[in-house]
Amino acid sequence: MRHRARRPAAVGLAAVVLIAAGCTQSAEKPTSDFKESDGKAAAQRWVSEEFTPSTLSKDQQLAEMDWFTKAAAPYRGMQINVVSETITTHEYESQQLAKAFTEITGIKIKHDLIQEGDVIEKLQTQIQGNQNIYDAYVNDSDLIGTHSRGDYVFPLSDYMAGEGKNITLPTLDLNDFIGISFTTGPDRKIYQLPDQQFANLYWFRYDWFTDPDIKKQFKDAYGYDLGVPVNWAAYEDIADFFTNKVNGNGTIDGKKVYGHMDYGRKDPSLGWRFTDAWLSMAGNGDPGIPNGLPVDDWGIRVENCRPVGSSVTRGGDTNGPASVYALTKYVDWLKKYAPREAAGMNFSEAGPVPAQGNIAQQIFWYTSFTADMTKEGLPVVNSDGTPKWRIAPSPHGAYWKQGNKLGYQDAGSWTLLKNTPQDRRAAAWLYAQFVTSKTVSLKKSIRGLTFIRDSDIRSDYFAENSKKYGGLIEFYGSPARKQWTPTGTNVPDYPRLAQLWWQNVATAVTGETTAQQSMDNLAKQQDDILSRLERRGGNCAPKLNAERPAQYWYDQPGAPAPKLADERGKPETLDYDKLIATWKQGN
C-alpha cells in the first residue's frame, strides 16, 4: 500500500540467511474454558448480523465457521499477534474480524495497525534477530522477488502441503484469489496469501467530458473528440485544454480548473510514483504478464531467474529512451498542467485534491481513494450519491507495446516466517484464512473496496451497486485487470532498491539533473546493489552482464528499445461507454 511513513532499514532482506531454525515451540499453552458450543453460537450471531451479504449461503457460511471452531481446538487460549498497515480494510479486520475470530475460535488476536514502512522494519528485525515479534505479517507482494530468494519465509505451497495441511481451510479456493500470481515466486511456489488489493487507474470528470459545450470547444481546438485518452499524446492535449483553454481561460463555472494532478515533493512516496509501473506505462521493458521478461518495469533484465543488469550497457532498460521519456513527461506535466502547489506535495497530501472539484483528470490515481471519493456532499458526487467522475484504463506512452503491463496493483498479503514458533504460526494461519474466507470477504470488500476474490467482484451485490463506484467494478470484472500487476520477481531486494528511486526522481523535479542524468544515476546505483548481492550469492542471486556498447543492446530484439524519432504520435481518445465495452472484452 502507498502509505510508507519512512524507509526500512538498509540491510536487504534477500541478503539475510537464518542462522538457525529458531524455536519450534512456544511456552506452555494457556488453558481455556472455551466450549465448541460457544463458537457455534458466536458464528450464528456474526453470520446473521455482520457477515452479510456473502457469496455463500448461510448454511455454507456456518459450515465454514464450524470448521474454524474445530480446527482451532489445539490453540485455544493463546494470544496471537499480527500486523498490517493502516488502511480501511485492515481497520475492519482489526476492529471487527479479530473480535469475531476470537469469539468463534477461542484464539485471542491482537491485530496491530502501523505504517507500512514500520511493517517492513519489524519484518526485517524479526528475520535478522531470529526472534519472533509477530506471528504473521501483511506486507506487499512487491517483496515477492526478495522473499523467494531468501530462506526466512515459509512458502505457503510447502506449508499447506506439509505442516499446515490439517489446518488449511478446505474451502479456501486459491483459484478464486485474483492476485495469486503476484505472490508466486520464480519456482512457482505460492509465498503469500492476498488480503487486500487495489490498482492505479485513470480518473476523470465524466460530467465535464460529456458536456456538449466543453466537447465542442475541445474539438474546435484540437480537431478530434474529447474522450478517455488512449495514449499520452491525447492526455497531454486534454491537460493543456482544461488548464489553459476551456472557456478561454481554464475555468469552469468561474472557478480555475486543472487538466492534471500529481505530486513532486522529495519524499519516499515519490518513489512509488515510478516503481508502481510508471515506466511500463511509458513502454519500457518487455511484454509479459504479470511482469515483462526478460526486462521488467523497473528496467531490470533477468536471465534464468538471475538479475543481470539495470543499465542499458548491461541489457537493462532503467536508463533507456523509454524510461527517460517517462521521467521527462512526468516532470513536464507536473510543471505545466498541475496546480502549482502539487510540486510540493507528497502522495498523502495530493490524494484528496481531485475530490475538491477542480481537477479534470489524473493519469495516476489509486483506487484505494474510491471510498473517499464517493462521500455525500463532495463537489464530485451527485445529489443521488452517484459520482460525477469515472475511472478507466490508463493511457500508455509512445514506447508501449501490446502485451506490456499497463499499470500497478498493490496486493497486501499474509506472510509466514520460519522463525515463528510452530503453534503460533498455525494459529496465525487460521486467522489469515478467516479474514480472507468467502464467509467474510464480500462484506470486507464492501467496507474497503480492495477486492481479492473473483467471486466477490461477480456477486449480485456489486452487480446491483456498480454505479456507485465509477467503473471500479467493471475494471475488476474484466480480463483487462491482468495488465495491472505489482512489482515482480526480477527485483531481488525491494527495500534496498526502492529507496534509490525517490532520491533520483527528486533531482529531476528540482532541475538539479536532466531526466537522462537522473536515470543514468539510478541505473548505476541499482547495478551497484546487484553487484553486492551477486558477491553474497544464494538462490537466483544476481549475476551481472559485462558492459557492452548501448547500441549492441538496441540492435537485439526486445528491450531496451532505441529512441523513437517521434515520441508523441497521433493522439487517440475513446468514448467512455464504448471503452468500457472493449474493457469487458479484455482489450
Side-chain angles (χ1 to χ4, degrees):
M1 172 59 180
R2 312 296 100 198
H3 286 286
R4 297 181 179 89
R6 52 198 174 96
R7 303 313 301 166
V11 178
L13 291 178
V16 178
V17 178
L18 291 177
I19 298 171
C23 298
T24 57
Q25 299 296 325
S26 65
E28 185 178 342
K29 183 175 72 66
T31 58
S32 173
D33 57 2
F34 182 93
K35 304 181 188 66
E36 225 174 81
S37 58
D38 298 333
K40 287 181 180 294
Q44 282 278 356
R45 186 173 67 257
W46 281 97
V47 165
S48 299
E49 297 176 6
E50 179 62 27
F51 302 152
T52 180
S54 172
T55 57
L56 301 182
S57 69
K58 185 174 180 179
D59 285 346
Q60 288 172 321
Q61 287 180 284
L62 290 173
E64 201 167 62
M65 294 298 97
D66 187 57
W67 180 88
F68 278 106
T69 302
K70 290 181 167 64
Y75 315 105
R76 285 179 191 143
M78 294 176 66
Q79 176 174 298
I80 300 304
N81 304 312
V82 302
V83 67
S84 64
E85 60 176 311
T86 306
I87 63 170
T88 301
T89 296
H90 296 318
E91 288 171 352
Y92 180 66
E93 290 169 343
S94 178
Q95 295 166 11
Q96 294 289 330
L97 298 185
K99 181 181 178 184
F101 181 77
T102 295
E103 293 182 3
I104 290 168
T105 66
I107 301 171
K108 298 173 185 176
I109 293 290
K110 186 174 184 288
H111 186 150
D112 286 348
L113 302 178
I114 60 178
Q115 292 294 326
E116 186 185 0
D118 296 325
V119 173
I120 301 302
E121 195 161 318
K122 295 288 187 185
L123 182 70
Q124 288 180 297
T125 300
Q126 179 162 336
I127 293 162
Q128 295 160 16
N130 199 27
Q131 180 180 3
N132 197 59
I133 300 172
Y134 285 103
D135 303 307
Y137 292 79
V138 180
N139 67 277
D140 281 1
S141 71
D142 291 337
L143 278 84
I144 183 63
T146 318
H147 289 338
S148 62
R149 287 177 173 86
D151 189 34
Y152 52 85
V153 167
F154 205 136
L156 293 182
S157 295
D158 294 347
Y159 186 76
M160 291 184 288
E163 180 184 303
K165 184 175 183 179
N166 293 331
I167 50 166
T168 294
L169 180 63
T171 53
L172 185 59
D173 192 4
L174 289 175
N175 291 331
D176 194 38
F177 284 81
I178 62 175
I180 206 71
S181 65
F182 307 156
T183 61
T184 301
D187 54 6
R188 311 316 303 161
K189 289 182 179 180
I190 298 169
Y191 281 79
Q192 302 166 278
L193 184 70
D195 180 88
Q196 51 85 5
Q197 196 168 319
F198 59 88
N200 60 16
L201 297 170
Y202 171 75
W203 181 96
F204 72 105
R205 285 292 296 271
Y206 181 77
D207 56 337
W208 294 351
F209 277 53
T210 55
D211 181 280
D213 181 51
I214 291 176
K215 289 176 68 175
K216 182 179 185 303
Q217 290 182 48
F218 182 86
K219 188 160 188 178
D220 288 347
Y222 297 93
Y224 62 96
D225 290 330
L226 175 62
V228 173
V230 175
N231 55 22
W232 285 11
Y235 183 87
E236 191 169 64
D237 285 347
I238 297 167
D240 175 55
F241 172 71
F242 280 102
T243 301
N244 299 312
K245 298 179 181 177
V246 64
N247 295 322
N249 59 359
T251 64
I252 294 178
D253 297 329
K255 295 180 180 179
K256 176 63 187 156
V257 299
Y258 297 91
H260 176 61
M261 183 59 202
D262 218 321
Y263 61 97
R265 194 169 97 197
K266 188 174 183 178
D267 176 87
S269 65
L270 190 57
W272 321 330
R273 180 61 181 80
F274 279 75
T275 59
D276 289 358
W278 182 243
L279 268 59
S280 74
M281 292 165 66
N284 96 313
D286 285 307
I289 301 296
N291 288 277
L293 285 173
V295 182
D296 74 349
D297 52 297
W298 283 36
I300 298 175
R301 176 179 287 269
V302 159
E303 296 173 2
N304 298 319
C305 89
R306 293 184 180 275
V308 296
S310 300
S311 301
V312 169
T313 52
R314 300 186 193 275
D317 203 7
T318 304
N319 60 334
S323 303
V324 173
Y325 158 82
L327 179 55
T328 300
K329 287 299 181 186
Y330 157 77
V331 174
D332 286 351
W333 294 345
L334 177 67
K335 294 181 176 179
K336 290 180 180 178
Y337 307 123
R340 182 173 296 178
E341 58 270 22
M345 291 181 171
N346 64 18
F347 169 85
S348 299
E349 294 162 342
V353 172
Q356 297 168 8
N358 66 337
I359 305 298
Q361 62 171 359
Q362 185 166 334
I363 192 171
F364 200 87
W365 184 84
Y366 288 92
T367 62
S368 55
F369 290 117
T370 303
D372 290 337
M373 284 281 194
T374 57
K375 292 179 178 176
E376 185 179 348
L378 286 175
V380 295
V381 176
N382 292 310
S383 57
D384 64 357
T386 57
K388 296 179 181 180
W389 50 267
R390 299 289 187 274
I391 51 178
S394 313
H396 56 74
Y399 289 83
W400 190 85
K401 303 162 288 296
Q402 193 66 40
N404 275 41
K405 65 185 291 185
L406 193 47
Y408 172 84
Q409 277 200 74
D410 187 286
S413 306
W414 286 101
T415 308
L416 303 180
L417 299 185
K418 289 183 177 178
N419 66 355
T420 297
Q422 183 174 334
D423 55 349
R424 302 191 66 81
R425 181 165 54 234
W429 174 235
L430 287 174
Y431 178 67
Q433 294 174 95
F434 180 86
V435 300
T436 58
S437 67
K438 290 183 179 180
T439 290
V440 308
S441 63
L442 178 54
K443 183 60 178 286
K444 190 175 82 168
S445 294
I446 295 168
R447 291 291 293 268
L449 299 177
T450 55
F451 309 99
I452 55 169
R453 287 188 176 274
D454 190 68
S455 56
D456 291 335
I457 295 160
R458 303 185 189 283
S459 67
D460 291 342
Y461 177 88
F462 282 117
E464 294 164 4
N465 291 278
S466 63
K467 290 183 179 179
K468 295 180 181 179
Y469 305 111
L472 181 65
I473 308 307
E474 287 80 359
F475 167 73
Y476 272 107
S478 78
R481 72 177 183 225
K482 295 180 181 178
Q483 290 181 281
W484 281 256
T485 67
T487 302
T489 58
N490 285 21
V491 179
D493 192 332
Y494 183 92
R496 184 177 286 190
L497 290 165
Q499 64 183 320
L500 302 176
W501 287 71
W502 65 276
Q503 297 166 4
N504 286 289
V505 170
T507 60
V509 174
T510 59
E512 296 169 62
T513 55
T514 66
Q516 183 71 63
Q517 289 169 336
S518 290
M519 299 312 280
D520 285 345
N521 292 340
L522 173 62
K524 182 182 184 305
Q525 290 166 23
Q526 287 202 145
D527 282 347
D528 288 345
I529 288 178
L530 294 180
S531 178
R532 291 201 289 273
L533 294 175
E534 178 179 0
R535 290 194 294 272
R536 287 175 175 162
N539 177 41
C540 289
K543 187 176 182 181
L544 285 179
N545 280 336
E547 291 196 81
R548 295 173 179 261
Q551 192 59 48
Y552 168 83
W553 290 104
Y554 293 145
D555 291 341
Q556 306 306 309
K563 184 177 175 64
L564 294 173
D566 176 15
E567 288 189 327
R568 176 171 163 82
K570 182 180 178 181
E572 182 182 356
T573 59
L574 283 175
D575 175 83
Y576 173 75
D577 296 317
K578 293 178 181 177
L579 184 61
I580 288 297
T582 65
W583 207 359
K584 289 178 178 178
Q585 297 165 10
N587 297 327

